Structures are given as structure tokens and as C-alpha cells.
Amino acid sequence: KKKIYKILSIKGMRPVQKISESGKVVKNFSSIAEAAKDAPCDRNYMTHVLKGRKQHVKGKFYRYKPW
């Protein structure tokens, strides 16, 4: 299962979750690009948020879907 996510993450298809302030999952996305369209922001900024370099996108919180 981890290999599949690793292969997909190379192609930018790693699953992403939108998180509420209380920590609950609000919405699931199949890729970074899909999550960036929801934000709205560019994919590079979304990647910074997912890697912890930035905290949020316009007040919305995102994370990679746990393995």
C-alpha cells in the first residue's frame, strides 16, 4: 500500500485532506492540484502547507492523507 502512494506521489497524486479547526476531516482530495483548486491557490503554495512550511491557505488547513 505504501508503494502505491509513493508511486502516485511522484506523479502529484498523493491524497490530501481538508481539516477543520477542531481537527476533523472536512473533505478528501485525490491530488494536490485538486486541493489547490478548492483553496484556491497554486500547487506550489499547497505543497508548502502540506510539508509544514506554511500553516494554512487563506484560513483553511490541509494535510496529506495518513498512510
Side-chain angles (χ1 to χ4, degrees):
K1 197 170 187 179
K2 285 186 180 181
K3 281 187 176 182
I4 293 171
Y5 281 132
K6 205 169 200 178
I7 292 168
L8 292 176
S9 69
I10 291 169
K11 296 181 179 182
M13 295 292 292
R14 188 166 173 192
V16 176
Q17 294 178 324
K18 183 176 181 179
I19 306 298
S20 68
E21 289 182 11
S22 62
K24 294 182 180 181
V25 176
V26 176
K27 193 171 182 183
N28 289 303
F29 303 97
S30 60
S31 68
I32 294 170
E34 190 179 328
K37 284 180 186 177
D38 177 70
C41 69
D42 64 13
R43 290 182 293 170
N44 291 329
Y45 194 86
M46 180 61 70
T47 301
H48 286 295
V49 171
L50 295 170
K51 290 186 175 185
R53 295 178 191 143
K54 302 286 183 184
Q55 291 185 355
H56 56 82
V57 179
K58 299 181 182 178
K60 301 173 187 174
F61 299 93
Y62 295 85
R63 70 176 181 200
Y64 284 120
K65 186 174 180 181
W67 302 109

